[in-house]
Structure formats: C-alpha cells, structure tokens
Amino acid sequence: MNALDVARGAYARLPLGTRLGLGRVLRHVPPALKYGGTYRTWRARIARAGRDPAFAQAAQDAALLALVARARDASPAWRARLAPALGDGPLDGAALRAAWARIPVLTGAEVVAEGRRLCTRDPSRLDECVTGGSSGRPVKFLIDRGRSPIEYAFVHDAWARAGFGPGDTRAVFRGVDIAGPDHMHDEPALGELRCSVFHLSDGVMAGYLAAIRARGIAFLHGYPSALAIFAAYVLRAHAPLRQIRGVLPVSERIPAPLRRNLERAFPEAVLAPFYGLSEKVAFANEVRGEPDTYAFEPLYGLTEIVDPAGEPVTRPGGRGRLVSTGLLFPGMPLIRYETGDEAELVEAASPQNGARLRVRRIVPRHGHDYLVGRSGILVPLSGMLQVDEEILGVGEFQFVQEEPGRVSLRIVPRNGAVPDFTGYLLRANRKAAGELEMRLEIVDQIPTTVRGKRKFIDQRLPVARDAARLADSDLADADAAAD
C-alpha cells in the first residue's frame, strides 16, 4: 500500500480536533513531498501523452495488452469470458485490437455475480468499494490499493487548466457530514474549507461567502447543483465574486443554465470539469472552448461508444452507451465495462489524435435531482447518496418526496429479507439535521415509466421538479434520441 493511502486513512479516523491541529502542520509540507514520486511520474506521463500522440497510443496499446494477458492468465472468470473471442494462444496488440469488439460487454450485475472470480490477485490485498448507487442498483467491486497518487495526478492535471496547484485551497461543496451552527469546517491538511450542501439557506451561505472572501480562496469545488445554488445567492446578495479563479465541478454534468449561472457569479473563473467513475475505468477532461465536449485520457483507460448490440459507433453524431476498460488498477480488471452512461460521438480515437475519444452530451446515470428541506431550501440529492451494506442487501431502492423536509427510502427486499436500516437512517438524518428526515418504506416493486425506466427519485414537489427541469433542459433531446 502507498504511504499516501495509509496516511490519508489514519488522518481521516482521527477526532476532529486532533485532525485540525495535525492538519495545520501538514498544510506546510511541500506538495512534492506530500504526494511522492509516483505522483510526479504520472504527472510527467500525462503531460507527455498530451503533446505526443504516438507515445499516448503506444502506451495505451501496451497497457491494454498487459491487462488482457493478466486477466486471461490469472482470473478463471476472465479466462472463460475472453476465450471465445481471443482463444488460448499468444496475444499481440494487432490481434487484440482486431478481436476487441467480440469481447462481450461486462455489466454491473455480472460484476456482482462473478465477484472475486474476476480478480487477478488475492482479494484480501484489494480494497472493497461500491458505486454511488445512482442507478438504484449499486455495484460492489474490488480495486488495487496505493491508487491515491495516480488519481491525484489525473485530477490535478485537469484542475491545472483553471490555474489550480497542489498547494491551493478550495471551498468544497460536497455531501460530507458537518456539525455545528455554521455548517462548515476546515481540513487544512487537504487544503479544504468544507461547506455543507444540506443547509444552503441564505443565512448559512452568507457565512460561506464571508469565509471564502476573508481567506482569499480562489477555487470552488463540488457538485454543480450545489455550486449553482451558491452562485445564485452570490448574485442575489452580493455581487459577482471576482476573486474566484477556478470552478472545479465533480459528480454531475453541467447543463447550460447552470453553467451560465456559474459564469455570471464568478466571471474571472475557468470551469475545469472532468468525467470520472467510482470504478476507475475512465477519465475525461472537458475540451477547452467546447463546453460539454470531453476527451478521454488514453493512459487511464480505453473508452468506446457502442450500440445496443455492443458494436462500436463510428459515425460522428451517433449516440450510444459508454463502455470502458480501466488500465491502471488490474487487481479486478473491468474489461469493456458498461458504465451506465450515454454520449454522442464527436471524434473516434485514432493514432493521429493520441487515442483520445471525443464525445459530447454525456447523459449520466442520474440527472440533477433535488430534495426540498423543511425550510424550503433545495438540497442536491447527490449529497444524500450513501451506499452502505444495508443498501447492498436489497434488490432495488428509490427516494420519494411528497412534502418538504420528509423523504421516503423505498426498498424492494431481496429474497424476502430486510436488513436493519436503523444505523443507515441515523447517518442520513444526521447529515441534513434540521432540514431532512428520511424514513424507510418496504415495497414489492418500484414502478416504471411508460418507457420501462425506474426513476431514481420520485419527486412530487413542484419547486424541486422545476429546478431539475431547468438544470437538465438541454438533455431532453439527447435522452429522447438515446431511447
């Protein structure tokens, strides 16, 4: 395990007071020492791939061949899946590429069913992780340890487009549990001022704004849905905040109305969004000057757009499913993995463009969904998502809201067994204390739409539906085309 992973895990488990005191010391550790040699090596590789298409293509080819060879040799599940397309003989890069589309797409359900049989090393030496559950069906998977320096290298490279450096401080709007009347606290070791997304009232946001201004914080990081609410407050109660040099959105798409709101509130800021997944199979940066168009990083993974039959979409403008193969963490290879997202092809990957697939209008696993707090404020649903063992023990789940401040978590039991959700509800309700209360509802099935889809959230309050409709208005045509 990498020292950075060990340190981060130990730091996160410390009491808040101890963590803050230690963090003030760690804040002054030079970034080169804090992130280590692996981080520096990958920053250099990423930069070289950006300016040298031949290097990018060759590096991806070599990593792909090594991954598939390892999967076929060390995993019984992968040996069975790959044999029909690749046979049992020696592999070379050209043969692998020629046979690639014949390898079946791997679904999340298959990952859960196969489990440890997909691993190429002792599962006890891997970390257990779970997707965010935004599809209503979370996926448990295993992933290599020691990944933090590599992940930071790609994220910091993306944020560098906005002028961000590893030693800079961010105001972070994500779904963290923050106690106290001001609903914010410092994480100095990580360079973060954490702001609760569950209490975005004018009074609380006034405190956020005052702290950001007083500390000269130049970067905002978090859910676009939460940042847009803060941006609207800034415009309503203050004036455009010109000290912000970068907005670093994560976890959600940025529809045009939200982007305009952010640009008005923070006119000097560069937006530097990236696309990533919990499963660590794909990473893409938004193309400069082309909002909502993303280029995938060839060193991180191999991403394709495929049609319903699993065949590549080759015509620019064609839509399909995003299928990705992660190249960095081979402990449990995810080869041609169904991400659950859809996109429109702009430019296929090729040696000429350094194996960088370009897409636009990525339709995520869920859109911009909001809950309504007891005081009437909007709460981004992304912040409430938590996938614990209880959720993994059910067949399906769905959030339902019929009145402000109250949310029902509907679950469909698996094999008639209902896990104990007491702890789950306590943790969820503590996050949004005073604004939201979650309760459990056991159902036989989750109703579907006329198209057969199951809504991740059944939101029945007009104010939240209107906000989500405004945020996602430019997705409607793409979603219809995908259906």
Side-chain angles (χ1 to χ4, degrees):
M1 182 184 291
N2 185 278
L4 179 59
D5 284 299
V6 175
R8 287 181 69 225
Y11 177 82
R13 290 189 292 272
L14 292 173
L16 178 60
T18 305
R19 201 163 71 230
L20 294 181
L22 178 60
R24 294 186 186 98
V25 176
L26 295 176
R27 185 79 180 101
H28 299 289
V29 175
L33 180 61
K34 183 185 299 185
Y35 294 105
T38 299
Y39 169 86
R40 294 193 300 272
T41 296
W42 275 96
R43 285 297 300 266
R45 283 174 57 83
I46 294 165
R48 182 179 175 186
R51 63 178 182 266
D52 186 346
F55 168 77
Q57 181 70 70
Q60 186 185 76
D61 286 343
L64 186 65
L65 184 61
L67 177 80
V68 172
R70 175 172 173 165
R72 195 176 63 169
D73 292 344
S75 161
W78 277 116
R79 192 154 46 246
R81 287 183 68 88
L82 295 172
L86 303 178
D88 299 318
L91 280 177
D92 63 58
L96 177 60
R97 291 282 188 172
W100 189 252
R102 296 201 298 273
I103 297 173
V105 171
L106 177 71
T107 66
E110 288 172 321
V111 172
V112 173
E114 293 284 5
R116 299 184 172 204
R117 294 183 70 251
L118 292 170
C119 293
T120 64
R121 65 187 306 183
D122 182 353
S124 68
R125 299 174 62 191
L126 304 173
D127 286 338
E128 188 174 279
C129 299
V130 185
T131 61
S134 58
S135 64
R137 292 176 177 170
V139 176
K140 181 187 287 187
F141 61 98
L142 299 171
I143 192 166
D144 302 66
R145 297 170 182 170
R147 59 191 177 276
S148 287
I150 303 175
E151 280 290 298
Y152 275 123
F154 280 92
V155 171
H156 287 176
D157 175 74
W159 289 350
R161 298 158 190 251
F164 177 86
D168 288 326
T169 299
R170 295 161 287 137
V172 180
F173 290 72
R174 300 192 70 175
V176 293
D177 185 7
I178 301 175
D182 59 2
H183 300 294
M184 62 179 165
H185 76 242
D186 279 301
E187 286 288 354
L190 303 176
E192 297 179 353
L193 172 66
R194 295 185 172 180
C195 304
S196 171
V197 300
F198 305 111
H199 301 86
L200 295 176
S201 65
D202 281 10
V204 170
M205 287 192 289
Y208 296 167
L209 178 59
I212 289 168
R213 295 181 67 197
R215 301 178 193 201
I217 293 173
F219 298 94
L220 304 180
H221 167 208
Y223 306 137
S225 52
L227 292 174
I229 293 172
F230 180 63
Y233 168 77
V234 168
L235 291 172
R236 183 171 65 250
H238 181 254
L241 190 59
R242 297 184 178 276
Q243 79 181 53
I244 301 301
R245 294 190 289 116
V247 175
L248 316 173
V250 293
S251 298
E252 300 170 349
R253 185 174 176 271
I254 314 176
L258 265 64
R259 186 182 293 268
R260 288 193 294 269
N261 210 17
L262 294 171
E263 290 172 343
R264 288 177 58 220
F266 315 115
E268 304 300 321
V270 174
L271 268 65
F274 63 81
Y275 171 86
L277 296 163
S278 303
E279 299 92 321
K280 313 298 183 190
V281 294
F283 192 98
N285 288 304
E286 187 176 70
V287 178
R288 297 184 189 188
E290 299 182 38
D292 210 19
T293 296
Y294 286 81
F296 283 85
E297 288 291 330
L299 303 187
Y300 197 102
L302 170 64
T303 298
E304 315 160 67
I305 300 184
V306 303
D307 64 19
E311 294 296 323
V313 174
T314 59
R315 178 180 56 83
R319 290 195 65 82
R321 299 173 292 153
L322 288 176
V323 169
S324 295
T325 300
L327 299 176
L328 299 178
F329 310 116
M332 177 187 270
L334 298 180
I335 299 172
R336 302 203 79 206
Y337 174 73
E338 172 74 80
T339 68
D341 297 339
E342 300 170 348
E344 175 186 320
L345 177 64
V346 174
E347 181 182 7
S350 69
Q352 291 72 35
N353 64 19
R356 292 177 188 274
L357 171 74
R358 287 196 178 198
V359 306
R360 67 164 63 94
R361 298 171 69 91
I362 297 175
V363 179
R365 305 176 193 191
H366 69 99
H368 289 80
D369 298 314
Y370 296 90
L371 302 171
V372 181
R374 186 169 285 110
S375 67
I377 65 170
L378 293 175
V379 178
L381 180 61
S382 296
M384 287 296 289
L385 291 177
Q386 57 183 54
V387 180
D388 298 341
E389 286 297 323
E390 296 91 337
I391 283 292
L392 293 172
V394 304
E396 297 178 66
F397 65 94
Q398 179 188 59
F399 295 93
V400 182
Q401 185 169 35
E402 297 181 288
E403 58 180 294
R406 297 178 69 87
V407 181
S408 294
L409 172 60
R410 287 181 174 173
I411 70 164
V412 178
R414 180 180 293 158
N415 301 323
V418 181
D420 183 1
F421 270 83
T422 304
Y424 184 97
L425 296 175
L426 285 173
R427 290 188 293 275
N429 291 334
R430 184 183 63 213
K431 276 186 174 184
E435 285 295 345
L436 290 170
E437 177 186 355
M438 186 182 296
R439 56 190 176 186
L440 191 67
E441 183 179 345
I442 310 300
V443 298
D444 294 327
Q445 63 181 5
I446 302 294
T448 64
T449 67
V450 293
R451 294 179 178 175
K453 295 183 177 182
R454 288 170 174 79
K455 293 181 179 179
F456 180 56
I457 175 172
D458 182 359
Q459 178 55 268
R460 303 179 186 181
L461 298 178
V463 62
R465 291 203 309 267
D466 291 346
R469 188 178 301 115
L470 175 63
D472 288 336
S473 60
D474 63 339
L475 280 177
D477 293 342
D479 192 39
D483 285 336

